[in-house]
Amino acid sequence: MNMHVIGLGYVGLPIAVTFSELGNVVVGIDKNKEKIDLLQKYETRITEAKLKDLLIKNINAKRLSFSSSLESIGKADVITIVVDTPISLGGVDLSYINTVVHDIANYLDGYTVIVIKSTVLPGTCKKIENLIKQLNPKASFDVVSIPEFLREGMAIHDIFEPNRIVIGVESQRAKNILEKLYSPFKNKTKIFFTSRSSAEMVKYASNSFLAMKISFINEISNLCEKSGCNVYDVAYGMGLDTRIGEKFLNPGPGYGGNCFPKDTLGLASFGKSVGLRLTLVESTIMANESRKKELADKISYFVREYKTPKVAFLGLPFKAGVDDCRKSPSIDIIIKLLDKNIDVCAYDPIPTGIDNSRKILGSRITYAVDAYNAVKNADLIVFGTECENFKFLDWAKIGTLVRNKIIFDLRNIINSQEARKNGFVCHIIGTSNT
Ligand code: UGA
């Protein structure tokens, strides 16, 4: 099948690459020429496991190519649109998607299925359909919704091993084509066909539900600290009930990234636009915001006795294994620490994670080349992500480098037994023993 993917970001590029690996002829399109130049040279700034290998393999197999022009769009059986839908004061901002629609409308040639993979509110596919009809009344097409459920850093895995595929389609002709396109998955997972608006809602509701689960366990985590319980045992005990499920019950510094913060706000504002207060979603957003303030307050309490306190902050992106610092709780907490006149020296094992943090924080903090340099003369070490490397730190060595032996582990990632053996006081969120 001939597939064109418009928007080659964290989601679009893995989709282009994997669908070419499945045997389709795929053209990836992005208006950013620099990105296209890099991709044509087998390069990308997106760090996803297996992405690069599949990129090289499929370009060489002539199933995958890249362009910044829309001219070949007319050849596509399926056009997948995966551009960003940021949140703005007025709600979900559809300007990027609308621009793409304006750009492609007149290139459509022959019957085309237009897949909206960008996260969009219920009713958007219908609006896009009307817009294309207006722009090109002769065009033969259907607009469908296939939301994506990929985790950043795990995108290739999540495409090949999906939990489910949700397809919002209301035309039999489009459904037949999509059944063929998704046939490699039919024995692997449930392919659920529904209406377009329900599919659009599945995405917002799923992300908001997961965000709510995280805020809930963070609240329980605070309660555990006050009441002598261990949140990890509590989460495990809860998760044994299959109605609850064990996943997304890890307490932490709050959810971040480009998805949960944006989609919870998007859903709440959609609720308001139809006259409904989504109190659970709104509380989730509020709880996640105050989470970062609570933790910054705790950090400043731990170092309250020191004159010019210095904090070593390890782990900067919004989660381990990625370099994306958008809406990263670590960055938000660091900003609050700086406001409290606390010096921060930061480190992340992914060099581009440091680069991305620098784009936000500039020279307001210092950066270290490794964890040991970061902790030099620190009064407190904070762990902001669940990076595997942090499990294997040499606590005897760190003991010789710090000014004060205090740790605040926001992800329960370190070997606290070893740290305690070396004289450290360990505060681990959701537990009360130090
Ligand atoms: C999320 C969803 O998991 C994907 O299904 C969805 O497709 C994607 O958003 C999207 O809408 O594009 P992602 O943002 O990559 O994926 O990150 P997650 O791994 O879900 O983590 C989100 C945030 O929640 C991170 O800050 C993470 O540290 C935090 N988290 C996650 C917790 O604090 N506790 C948990 O138990 C799980």
Side-chain angles (χ1 to χ4, degrees), residues 11 119 148-152 203 207 210 214 248-252 254-257 259-260 263 318-319 329 386 411:
V11 179
T119 300
E148 57 83 15
F149 305 108
L150 317 177
R151 291 162 299 167
E152 213 174 300
K203 169 70 190 213
N207 272 5
L210 291 172
I214 296 167
F248 277 71
L249 283 180
N250 293 315
Y255 58 80
C259 305
F260 290 175
D263 294 346
F318 78 98
K319 62 176 182 179
E386 67 280 36
R411 301 280 190 169

Side-chain angles (χ1 to χ4, degrees), residues 10-11 48 119 147-154 158 163-164 203 206-207 210-211 213-215 217-218 246-263 288 317-320 322 324 326-329 384-386 410-411:
Y10 288 99
V11 179
E48 279 289 342
T119 300
E148 57 83 15
F149 305 108
L150 317 177
R151 291 162 299 167
E152 213 174 300
M154 296 292 286
D158 288 353
N163 280 321
R164 83 288 210 196
K203 169 70 190 213
S206 299
N207 272 5
L210 291 172
K213 220 174 160 186
I214 296 167
S215 285
I217 200 67
N218 284 340
E246 61 181 348
K247 302 218 169 103
F248 277 71
L249 283 180
N250 293 315
Y255 58 80
N258 190 41
C259 305
F260 290 175
K262 154 175 100 61
D263 294 346
N288 198 54
F318 78 98
K319 62 176 182 179
V322 300
D324 190 349
R326 288 175 296 174
K327 298 277 171 205
S328 161
T385 60
E386 67 280 36
L410 311 184
R411 301 280 190 169

Side-chain angles (χ1 to χ4, degrees), residues 10 13-15 17-18 44-55 151-160 320-323 350:
Y10 288 99
L13 183 60
I15 287 173
V17 166
T18 47
T44 169
R45 298 217 167 90
I46 295 175
T47 38
E48 279 289 342
K50 300 200 184 127
L51 181 67
K52 186 95 184 270
D53 291 350
L54 291 176
L55 179 74
R151 291 162 299 167
E152 213 174 300
M154 296 292 286
I156 303 286
H157 169 272
D158 288 353
I159 294 174
F160 283 135
V322 300
D323 63 5
I350 304 183

Side-chain angles (χ1 to χ4, degrees), residues 13 28 42 44 59 61 70 84 98 117 161 177 203 210 218 222 272 281 284 286 297 330 366 411:
L13 183 60
Y42 307 95
T44 169
I59 295 178
L70 292 165
D84 205 7
N98 282 336
K117 255 200 190 290
E161 306 294 333
I177 290 178
K203 169 70 190 213
L210 291 172
N218 284 340
N222 283 345
K272 278 192 195 140
V281 180
T284 298
M286 268 160 32
D297 287 347
S330 291
T366 53
R411 301 280 190 169

